């Protein structure tokens, strides 16, 4: 017999109190229980889901974490929202986001910081921090976020959950407030890889395949550059050592690999596209930038510094990076790196410095597959100083099934 108990649980006193501590959800859907009851009449068991607050939801406030849109109620659902409603998911609410998804900490938001369920003094990561925290705190079994530079994978790593960014372009982003159109990708969070596989099947992203051996490539760029290690060299080294220990214990063949094209172009040219495109979205509101959070405004101002020739050159190099990855993945099944070089910093550490070194550091591992448009998943594999750190699996284009299958085979620390 089908039941709405999973939906009712979200609205229970205990879960509502928990959410006040974590600040994962910023708006709840008052019609969720009624919508769930309608599903049960058709014999469908409703599944509660959280939706990042830059994804349009008809009749449910969608703020982008910004003062400018604090009362905005969309008249239409985003494509992904229409789709999941037909698949038996009930939107129980909207999850906190860094303003306009332009940050890696989910601290610059009109609702205040989302807190890490493992330690409320620490960040959840971002920009999809609310979505990651919602599943880490067991408020919902699955949530939806967006990823441009690592906005699914970074909070998944810091909150100790799975975070899947499919191949770029696989899920229609119509109805999602844009950050950088060349990278914006919708994806999923869960504590359970099977939840992610199940929804991926419904989106045509997964077919069952049989894999017995895994050939692992470890890109040498996973090592954090010296100029960034000064932030906390001891902790970064701990993460890198735990990562190498994990690989060694897997029992699969692995090799360290040079990726000269990636190292030459990715970290130099990713910001050119990311900042230029974000600025082009927000230039229409330039007379209101004083109402944006300071770190978000500074990143938009950075976008004004690039010339059209810089932008076109950055787009051209993307093709070379993709070709290098395709060539490497003829010899290997998957690339592995730490997802983040650190566990979650404290909120106090990052406030007022969201666009500084912490941003560069937390996205060091994640920008590569954004630039390369490759499917990527962070799995909750490591614990460092009793805090979660993810391991990132990077697959080949359109081989999302293979990536998810490999992710389901690897041990985790939950």
């Amino acid at each position: 017999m089908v039941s709405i108990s999973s939906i009712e649980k979200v609205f229970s006193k205990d879960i509502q109190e928990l959410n006040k501590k974590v600040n994962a959800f910023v708006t709840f859907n008052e019609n969720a229980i009624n919508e769930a009851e309608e599903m049960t009449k058709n014999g469908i068991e409703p599944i509660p889901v959280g939706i990042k607050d830059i994804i349009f939801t008809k009749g449910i406030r969608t703020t982008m974490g910004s003062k400018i849109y604090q009362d905005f109620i969309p008249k239409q659902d985003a494509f992904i929202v229409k789709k999941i409603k037909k698949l038996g998911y009930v939107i129980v609410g909207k999850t906190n986001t860094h303003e306009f998804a332009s940050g890696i900490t989910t601290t610059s938001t009109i609702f205040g910081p989302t807190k890490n369920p493992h330690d409320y003094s620490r960040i959840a990561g971002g920009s999809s921090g609310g979505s990651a925290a919602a599943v880490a705190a067991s408020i919902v079994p699955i949530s939806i976020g967006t990823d441009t530079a690592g906005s699914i994978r970074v909070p998944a790593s810091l909150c100790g959950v799975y975070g899947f960014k499919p191949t770029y372009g696989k899920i229609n982003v119509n109805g999602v407030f844009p950050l950088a159109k060349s990278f914006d990708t919708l994806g999923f969070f869960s504590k359970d890889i099977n939840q992610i596989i199940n929804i991926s099947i419904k989106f045509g992203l997964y077919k069952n395949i049989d894999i017995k051996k895994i050939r692992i490539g470890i890109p040498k760029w996973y090592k954090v550059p010296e100029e960034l290690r000064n932030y906390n060299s001891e902790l970064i080294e701990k993460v890198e050592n735990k990562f190498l220990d994990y690989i060694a214990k897997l029992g699969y063949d692995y090799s360290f690999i040079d990726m000269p094209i990636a190292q030459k172009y990715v970290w130099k040219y990713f910001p050119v596209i990311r900042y230029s495109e974000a600025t082009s979205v927000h230039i229409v509101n330039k007379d209101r930038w004083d109402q944006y959070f300071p770190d978000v405004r500074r990143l938009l101002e950075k976008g004004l510094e690039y010339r059209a020739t810089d932008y076109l050159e950055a787009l051209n190099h993307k093709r070379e990076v993709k070709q290098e990855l395709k060539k490497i993945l003829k010899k290997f099944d998957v690339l592995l790196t730490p997802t983040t070089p650190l566990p979650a910093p404290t909120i106090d550490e990052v406030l007022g410095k969201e666009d500084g070194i912490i941003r560069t550091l937390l996205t060091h591992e994640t920008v590569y597959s954004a630039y390369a448009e490759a499917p990527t998943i962070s799995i909750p594999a490591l614990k460092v100083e009793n805090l979660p750190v993810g391991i990132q699996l990077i697959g080949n284009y359109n081989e999302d099934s293979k990536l998810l299958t490999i992710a389901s085979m690897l041990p985790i620390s939950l």
Side-chain angles (χ1 to χ4, degrees):
M1 184 176 171
V2 293
S3 161
I4 65 165
S5 60
S6 63
I7 313 298
E8 289 175 324
K9 179 192 161 197
V10 176
F11 294 90
S12 68
K13 185 181 176 185
D14 287 351
I15 293 294
Q16 291 290 308
E17 287 299 318
L18 174 60
N19 186 63
K20 284 176 186 173
K21 292 174 185 171
V22 177
N23 200 24
F25 281 92
V26 294
T27 302
F28 283 97
N29 176 15
E30 295 173 0
N31 294 318
I33 290 174
N34 290 338
E35 290 169 16
E37 285 173 343
E38 283 300 310
M39 280 186 187
T40 61
K41 290 176 185 176
N42 296 317
I44 299 168
E45 182 90 34
I47 303 167
V49 62
I51 304 285
K52 185 176 181 178
D53 202 26
I54 65 162
I55 301 168
F56 288 15
T57 42
K58 184 179 179 181
I60 305 171
R61 183 176 63 160
T62 303
T63 72
M64 281 57 79
S66 176
K67 182 180 179 183
I68 290 174
Y69 288 96
Q70 62 188 341
D71 298 315
F72 175 59
I73 298 175
K75 294 180 180 174
Q76 296 292 330
D77 281 327
F79 169 85
I80 193 168
V81 173
K82 291 177 185 173
K83 176 100 173 171
I84 62 168
K85 284 180 176 178
K86 291 174 184 172
L87 296 173
Y89 293 87
V90 171
I91 296 159
V92 292
K94 306 302 290 289
T95 56
N96 205 5
T97 175
H98 206 97
E99 186 180 40
F100 296 116
S102 182
I104 213 72
T105 57
T106 315
T107 50
S108 297
T109 152
I110 53 171
F111 301 103
T114 293
K115 293 165 184 173
N116 193 310
H118 294 268
D119 178 345
Y120 295 158
S121 72
R122 296 180 183 274
I123 65 168
S127 61
S128 308
S131 290
V135 297
S138 299
I139 298 172
V140 287
I142 192 163
S143 62
I144 294 174
T146 61
D147 191 303
T148 304
S151 285
I152 287 173
R153 293 160 288 148
V154 169
S157 175
L158 303 186
C159 288
V161 299
Y162 288 96
F164 173 46
K165 179 194 88 72
T167 297
Y168 171 76
K170 279 291 203 177
I171 302 177
N172 188 325
V173 293
N174 185 38
V176 178
F177 196 95
L179 178 59
K181 64 182 174 65
S182 293
F183 305 125
D184 293 347
T185 306
L186 286 153
F188 312 110
F189 294 92
S190 186
K191 280 184 176 180
D192 181 359
I193 188 67
N194 291 315
Q195 286 277 0
I196 289 179
I197 286 173
N198 288 340
I199 198 167
S200 296
I201 290 168
K202 293 165 184 173
F203 275 84
L205 296 169
Y206 181 85
K207 289 178 183 174
N208 193 34
I209 57 173
D210 187 33
I211 297 174
K212 290 184 171 63
K213 281 187 175 181
I214 305 170
R215 299 164 302 163
I216 295 169
I218 303 171
K220 289 181 182 176
W221 54 252
Y222 90 87
K223 291 278 283 185
V224 174
E226 285 304 319
E227 65 269 21
L228 297 177
R229 297 182 85 85
N230 292 338
Y231 183 83
N232 192 330
S233 57
E234 189 180 326
L235 194 53
I236 290 167
E237 193 169 335
K238 275 187 185 177
V239 171
E240 290 175 348
N241 288 339
K242 288 254 187 174
F243 167 67
L244 294 175
D245 287 346
Y246 178 91
I247 300 290
K249 289 173 183 172
L250 285 176
Y252 296 115
D253 292 338
Y254 66 93
S255 301
F256 294 90
I257 49 175
D258 289 306
M259 298 179 70
I261 294 172
Q263 290 192 264
K264 186 176 180 181
Y265 296 131
V266 172
W267 291 269
K268 179 180 179 181
Y269 286 106
F270 175 86
V272 177
I273 301 172
R274 154 66 179 88
Y275 297 140
S276 298
E277 291 187 351
T279 302
S280 74
V281 170
H282 290 273
I283 201 76
V284 68
N285 283 329
K286 194 166 187 292
D287 61 341
R288 302 180 74 182
W289 282 7
D290 61 323
Q291 295 178 56
Y292 287 31
F293 280 87
D295 61 299
V296 176
R297 186 180 68 245
R298 286 192 294 266
L299 293 181
L300 293 175
E301 288 165 350
K302 203 177 265 191
L304 295 170
E305 297 170 8
Y306 297 111
R307 300 166 301 172
T309 50
D310 299 327
Y311 177 72
L312 293 172
E313 186 178 3
L315 288 177
N316 283 334
H317 290 312
K318 271 182 82 178
R319 298 185 191 100
E320 296 169 67
V321 169
K322 287 173 74 172
Q323 286 306 315
E324 182 182 53
L325 179 62
K326 286 178 182 176
K327 188 177 177 183
I328 285 169
L329 288 176
K330 287 177 181 175
K331 298 177 184 175
F332 298 97
D333 296 302
V334 69
L335 304 185
L336 262 63
T337 74
T339 310
T340 53
L342 293 167
T346 63
I347 292 168
D348 287 345
E349 263 180 84
V350 305
L351 281 178
K353 307 168 193 165
E354 292 90 348
D355 55 333
I357 189 172
I358 194 64
R359 174 186 175 81
T360 311
L361 197 51
L362 287 176
T363 58
H364 172 71
E365 312 288 350
T366 57
V367 295
Y368 170 78
S369 57
Y371 194 75
E373 303 181 358
T376 314
I377 187 167
S378 179
I379 68 170
L382 304 178
K383 280 281 175 74
V384 179
E385 297 193 346
N386 212 32
L387 291 166
V389 174
I391 284 181
Q392 176 177 244
L393 284 64
I394 302 169
N396 210 345
Y397 308 95
N398 300 321
E399 291 188 3
D400 301 61
S401 294
K402 184 176 181 180
L403 180 74
L404 290 172
T405 301
I406 293 171
S408 72
M409 295 167 67
L410 298 187
I412 57 173
S413 65
L414 282 176

